Amino acid sequence: MTSLRFSPVILEAEARLDAEYATHVGFCSAVHHVVDFLQALPQTFSFRWADAGPGQGPTGFGDPEWERAQSLEEFGRAGAELKALAYSSSYAVFQVYQGLIEAMNDAKYLLAIQCTRTLLEHAAYQNDMYERVAAITRGLDVKVTGTFYGRSLEMRLLLIKLFEQKRFDTAALGEDTPEKILAMGENISEDSRATNILTLIDKLLPEGKSYRVIYSLLSEYVHPNLGSRVMFYQPPHPAVSGAATGFWTVSSEIGRPECIDHTLAVISGPVVSLSKMVEVHTEGLLAIGGLLESYSPAQDGGLPR
């Protein structure tokens, strides 16, 4: 896998921005760092998905030893499944970063803003997943059988939700007409329905700033509003026109320095904070997954007592 880096043109533009706005320092280095982190992750991961949760089949419900054994086995499977979720999410995020770097280097600044908006959505999903998983595993004590068993059931339900959440029946794509797929989308069960992305974004509260506002700003460029067109307008040169009413030009060339600077001013702050978030949550999810895997009876060292 090749190394991904911003071009000298973008590095020079960042230096101009850093000299003017201290809050935007470190955009390129933050992206390079998280890209290296994501590239270093295993590129394949195999796991076994368990449809059945603990307590199904022959049951010894109410028997502490049986509940404890079932919970250990369930948490062991859950650990691998959680790591699979973390890896698949990181692979998707890595492609977003690829797109961001390539878009900036190729002067496709609207695509760079789109990538930043998508990055925000994925980071919000990762944050929600981490917070919900951490809430279940926080203070987990294998010696308290009832609580341990209850949390294993809770983890199973959460993992099913995280794995299956969707807006449409994607299995039907390519097999049914758009009309049927839209109709099926309306019939997705609540257990499988994806949480509205704005709900997840509202859970991100960094340093008192609202990511909802940032998301709305990015959307101003992604949607067909003035923001998506402003960089294609070239005002008349004052030396030529000398007046605001001079002839303007609409051009497909948006590689002008002011366009680069404007794009970086919009995306650099969010990208720096989101990149830190992506790394922290990916590491956290993988760490929790490894902890849960250690509960499995199949792991060396025996069962934790």
Side-chain angles (χ1 to χ4, degrees):
M1 194 176 292
T2 59
S3 177
L4 289 167
R5 291 294 184 265
F6 287 110
S7 69
V9 172
I10 305 304
L11 295 174
E12 292 171 7
E14 183 194 29
R16 290 195 300 270
L17 191 68
D18 287 352
E20 188 171 356
Y21 303 104
T23 55
H24 294 281
V25 173
F27 167 75
C28 292
S29 60
V31 172
H32 292 166
H33 186 276
V34 73
V35 163
D36 289 345
F37 165 76
L38 293 171
Q39 279 188 305
L41 295 174
Q43 298 304 297
T44 58
F45 179 77
S46 299
F47 72 105
R48 178 185 177 187
W49 171 253
D51 289 327
Q56 299 198 16
T59 177
F61 182 74
D63 179 349
E65 285 301 314
W66 180 89
E67 289 184 357
R68 182 174 176 280
Q70 288 289 307
S71 300
L72 290 170
E73 183 178 349
E74 174 60 28
F75 271 128
R77 287 196 300 263
E81 293 164 3
L82 179 59
K83 289 170 74 173
L85 272 170
Y87 283 130
S88 62
S89 179
S90 72
Y91 301 155
V93 169
F94 178 74
Q95 285 205 2
V96 175
Y97 277 109
Q98 279 184 305
L100 174 62
I101 294 173
E102 291 168 3
M104 289 299 294
N105 288 345
D106 293 342
K108 295 181 173 64
Y109 303 124
L110 292 184
L111 288 180
I113 295 173
Q114 172 70 79
C115 287
T116 304
R117 185 175 183 264
T118 303
L119 176 61
L120 174 49
E121 294 174 338
H122 280 274
Y125 167 76
Q126 285 186 333
N127 174 73
D128 179 66
M129 175 164 53
Y130 177 79
E131 291 296 332
R132 294 170 74 178
V133 168
I136 295 175
T137 57
R138 191 174 292 117
L140 197 61
D141 188 349
V142 297
K143 297 178 181 179
V144 184
T145 305
T147 301
F148 194 65
Y149 182 65
R151 291 199 188 184
S152 69
L153 292 172
E154 189 178 355
M155 181 66 76
R156 164 57 45 208
L157 294 175
L158 174 59
L159 288 174
I160 291 174
K161 169 72 173 179
L162 293 173
F163 259 100
E164 296 184 355
Q165 67 177 29
K166 54 192 175 183
R167 304 295 294 182
F168 296 97
D169 184 3
T170 53
L173 295 179
E175 299 178 6
D176 285 308
T177 63
E179 291 78 11
K180 287 185 178 180
I181 293 172
L182 285 172
M184 285 186 287
E186 296 298 322
N187 295 323
I188 297 295
S189 69
E190 284 302 316
D191 289 340
S192 298
R193 187 179 297 277
T195 305
N196 186 286
I197 192 61
L198 293 178
T199 300
L200 302 185
I201 289 173
D202 285 342
K203 294 182 179 181
L204 299 172
L205 298 172
E207 299 146 9
K209 296 179 182 178
S210 171
Y211 269 118
R212 173 75 80 100
V213 175
I214 294 172
Y215 189 74
S216 297
L217 173 62
L218 297 172
S219 297
E220 183 72 12
Y221 292 86
V222 174
H223 296 158
N225 298 331
L226 177 61
S228 67
R229 304 187 304 274
V230 67
M231 286 185 283
F232 297 96
Y233 288 93
Q234 298 186 38
H237 195 284
V240 176
S241 66
T245 56
F247 287 98
W248 288 56
T249 302
V250 179
S251 173
S252 63
E253 296 295 326
I254 60 172
R256 307 188 311 279
E258 60 266 30
C259 294
I260 304 174
D261 294 356
H262 182 82
T263 302
L264 285 175
V266 171
I267 71 173
S268 59
V271 168
V272 169
S273 60
L274 292 172
S275 297
K276 295 175 183 176
M277 198 181 301
V278 164
E279 190 166 342
V280 167
H281 288 150
T282 301
E283 287 182 330
L285 288 166
L286 292 175
I288 294 174
L291 171 66
L292 296 180
E293 276 187 316
S294 71
Y295 290 154
S296 172
Q299 296 291 322
D300 293 335
L303 305 183
R305 291 286 179 181

